[in-house]
Amino acid sequence: MREAAVRSMTAVQRSSTRLTISVAVNLSIAALHVLDLRALLGPEWRPIVGSYFSDFTLPFAFYFLLCLVDDHAAILRSAVMKASVVFAASAAAEVLQGAGVPALGRTFDPFDFLMYAAGVGLAAALDRLVLTRLVPAWPLASGVPPGDDRSSAP
């Protein structure tokens, strides 16, 4: 009996709404990259967008990619942990660039760290402060996933 109670507290289930939102965020950001916004902007904005747009939006998108697997990886259920993983991976790529290794880019820029933090921070805030409150199906649901033979345990 106690074992079933522990399982029900630790097992979670991702909703189709969570899946849809996470995929939509990533597809939207991919579309913005394909469109190349620099062509739509004035010349004074092109260098800024060219330098920092991806540094901001990719960590934002990667955060929502982790929302697709956080029902299977308990360590990723915390917004802080997801944000930390994304920031660490982004920062590691930037440090490699500084060492001359082309990793997700070729040019080291210390301001990229700020953009990574801003992008992942906005994603975590959207997750915890907006989606969790306004979209009832966003939070992971507690309980044993359907089809799990333990769900019929007494």
Side-chain angles (χ1 to χ4, degrees), residues 82-118:
K82 281 191 285 282
S84 297
V85 167
V86 171
F87 182 79
S90 302
E94 195 66 29
V95 168
L96 287 172
Q97 290 173 25
V101 178
L104 300 177
R106 293 192 156 116
T107 308
F108 175 78
D109 182 353
F111 288 111
D112 287 353
F113 292 105
L114 181 62
M115 292 292 100
Y116 300 150

Side-chain angles (χ1 to χ4, degrees), residues 12 25 28-29 48 99 123 143 154:
V12 295
V25 164
S28 298
I29 289 173
I48 295 169

Side-chain angles (χ1 to χ4, degrees), residues 47-62 83 86-87 90-91 94 109-123:
I48 295 169
V49 170
S51 295
Y52 300 113
F53 179 73
S54 291
D55 297 331
F56 180 82
T57 58
L58 291 180
F60 185 92
F62 290 155
V86 171
F87 182 79
S90 302
E94 195 66 29
D109 182 353
F111 288 111
D112 287 353
F113 292 105
L114 181 62
M115 292 292 100
Y116 300 150
V120 78
L122 181 62

